[in-house]
Amino acid sequence: MACFNQSELFKMAEQLRFTIRQRHIHPLDFILSLIAALGGDGNSDIQADLHRKFNELTGLNVSYRSWANQAKKDVLPALILWLWLQCLEIFSRKVMAFDESSPFSEFEHILIHDGSSQAVYDALKEAFPGRFSAVSPAAVELHTTLDFLTNNLVRVQLTEDTRSERNCLPPLPSSMAYVLMLMDAGYFELELFAAIDDREGFFICKAPQSINPTILSAVREDGKNLNRYKGQKLKDVLSGFPKDQCLDLDVEWPGYKRWPYRLVVRWNEKKQKWAFIVTNLNRAEFTLSEVLQAYRLRWQIELIFKEIKSYSGWHRFNTKSATLVFSLILMSFVVVTLKRYLAHAAQANLYGSGAIEEISTHKVMKSGTHLFGNMVLSLMESGKRLMACIRKLLLFWEQNAKREHLARDSCSGRIRLGLCLMGGA
């Protein structure tokens, strides 16, 4: 695995002054021991556990003080960030695609952006103030962009929990041709939509309950035009909308008449309220049902949050060192990126054998931890037995980490949109 090249990692560690003099704690061993601890059996939740894991894997007897001096260095996050970027460059590739008959096949990137918060040790409340000070005085917010077609993270911003989600949107590129963005209601902003439109990009965003645009046209799900709503404010006529069918509206907001948008309105029986989805996708090309199904793909970022927080050690950090917390969170991204790459490799093996089953990244994150640890240990030993360890790990996942409910997905999940796996890594 090229991103774990010992000489390259050592060179960067020296450049950042993480390593000043060559001693027992080699940068690669230090990094790999953290990966083993976070991606392993889940028993590492304090600094001393991480120290013991380092000594266990290296066979050394490094003192806790010496280990902690390295773990708390201010440059450690920069070293781990450099490693993660190397992993993204090497491991990220397109693993999903839409069937050519799907209107979504025109998109080269489907970017899903969202945020998720996590409480940290209360003593860190000055560095990471939480929104809910009584329950979680200290917390961090993870603002993340997932490229759905590569099934991996492409951007991460870590802030205190009190910062607004909307203020942490990534800067838009000069051109967004063939790019579709999926966003939750927390990112609803007309200026953002206009900027995406001007860059030839596309978006689907859930809208808050407070919206009140002017209706330009209204079409019922069965195709019937509802001309009586034309020119009306949404809130003035919302109570008269049918609850047994979705409505497909063209709407505009004051000050943004140059950018009329499409608004899909659906009654949520379970929550007993209306749901609003705003988009600039063309009605002639993308049906009402396809817009709703595409928005459901946004759930994939919630799954990656689950993998990071529950199966990569994030929720177990019990330390007063803000630097170490930051470092371990970044290392969680490395673990998720690495395991997802290996999951795609297991998928490629399945497809190569003619099987039609799919590998579940959720099951991959939870299982095979002992075999994953063996692979990390082989990297520490200069790659001895590495390929044998990887083959054993992939075989285990091929046999024990397959997705279930494929028939259900074909009716209500991603397969319904014509989305299929490309065979993985």
Side-chain angles (χ1 to χ4, degrees), residues 116-372:
S116 181
S117 62
Q118 175 66 39
V120 294
Y121 200 63
D122 288 355
L124 295 171
K125 62 183 179 182
E126 296 298 326
F128 302 116
R131 281 176 293 169
F132 309 105
S133 56
V135 180
S136 301
V140 294
E141 180 83 8
L142 175 65
H143 306 275
T144 302
T145 303
L146 171 74
D147 190 330
F148 180 68
L149 298 181
T150 66
N151 202 23
N152 230 324
L153 300 173
V154 294
R155 186 182 186 274
V156 166
Q157 183 179 4
L158 191 68
T159 69
E160 65 278 9
D161 189 36
T162 51
R163 190 177 302 187
S164 165
E165 287 184 335
R166 200 174 300 174
N167 293 336
C168 295
L169 273 167
L172 300 179
S174 57
S175 173
M176 295 186 65
Y178 310 112
V179 174
L180 172 65
M181 286 189 70
L182 307 181
M183 296 167 287
D184 200 4
Y187 300 96
F188 181 91
E189 188 175 285
L190 295 174
E191 288 184 13
L192 171 65
F193 302 156
I196 294 173
D197 227 9
D198 285 343
R199 289 164 170 78
E200 300 182 319
F202 296 88
F203 67 89
I204 304 176
C205 182
K206 189 174 183 180
Q209 296 290 305
S210 59
I211 63 167
N212 192 27
T214 300
I215 299 172
L216 302 178
S217 67
V219 181
R220 207 165 59 189
E221 191 173 1
D222 60 5
K224 179 178 175 60
N225 285 300
L226 303 177
N227 293 323
R228 62 183 179 274
Y229 296 132
K230 184 176 181 179
Q232 301 289 322
K233 285 287 190 178
L234 177 65
K235 286 190 177 295
D236 293 341
V237 295
L238 188 60
S239 60
F241 282 6
K243 295 182 178 179
D244 60 340
Q245 290 194 58
C246 297
L247 266 68
D248 200 346
L249 314 178
D250 283 328
V251 299
E252 67 179 12
W253 277 268
Y256 291 89
K257 292 188 177 182
R258 178 185 156 201
W259 298 277
Y261 294 118
R262 185 179 175 191
L263 182 69
V264 176
V265 182
R266 180 180 67 86
W267 175 252
N268 188 320
E269 187 66 33
K270 185 177 180 180
K271 295 183 177 180
Q272 288 292 297
K273 65 179 183 180
W274 294 101
F276 306 110
I277 304 294
V278 62
T279 183
N280 63 344
L281 291 175
N282 190 301
R283 183 177 293 107
E285 192 175 356
F286 299 89
T287 67
L288 180 154
S289 176
E290 286 170 337
V291 169
L292 291 174
Q293 287 294 327
Y295 181 74
R296 292 181 66 179
L297 296 177
R298 200 199 65 80
W299 186 250
Q300 297 298 314
I301 201 168
E302 302 295 345
L303 299 181
I304 207 167
F305 284 145
K306 178 72 172 176
E307 292 173 13
I308 293 171
K309 295 164 71 171
S310 296
Y311 307 123
S312 300
W314 184 4
H315 70 301
R316 306 185 186 98
F317 304 155
N318 190 3
T319 175
K320 296 179 182 179
S321 170
T323 298
L324 184 55
V325 166
F326 192 18
S327 298
L328 294 175
I329 291 173
L330 288 173
M331 190 58 76
S332 292
F333 306 153
V334 175
V335 171
V336 168
T337 302
L338 176 57
K339 284 196 171 184
R340 282 197 161 216
Y341 170 77
L342 293 169
H344 300 149
Q347 182 69 67
N349 287 349
L350 275 181
Y351 275 21
S353 66
I356 61 171
E357 293 96 341
E358 295 184 12
I359 296 294
S360 163
T361 56
H362 179 74
K363 291 181 178 180
V364 162
M365 293 301 297
K366 293 198 300 180
S367 63
T369 54
H370 176 71
L371 296 173
F372 181 79

Side-chain angles (χ1 to χ4, degrees), residues 393-404:
L393 176 61
L394 297 188
L395 179 61
F396 172 82
W397 282 334
E398 289 163 31
Q399 296 172 341
N400 297 278
K402 295 174 184 175
R403 278 176 59 89
E404 299 176 11

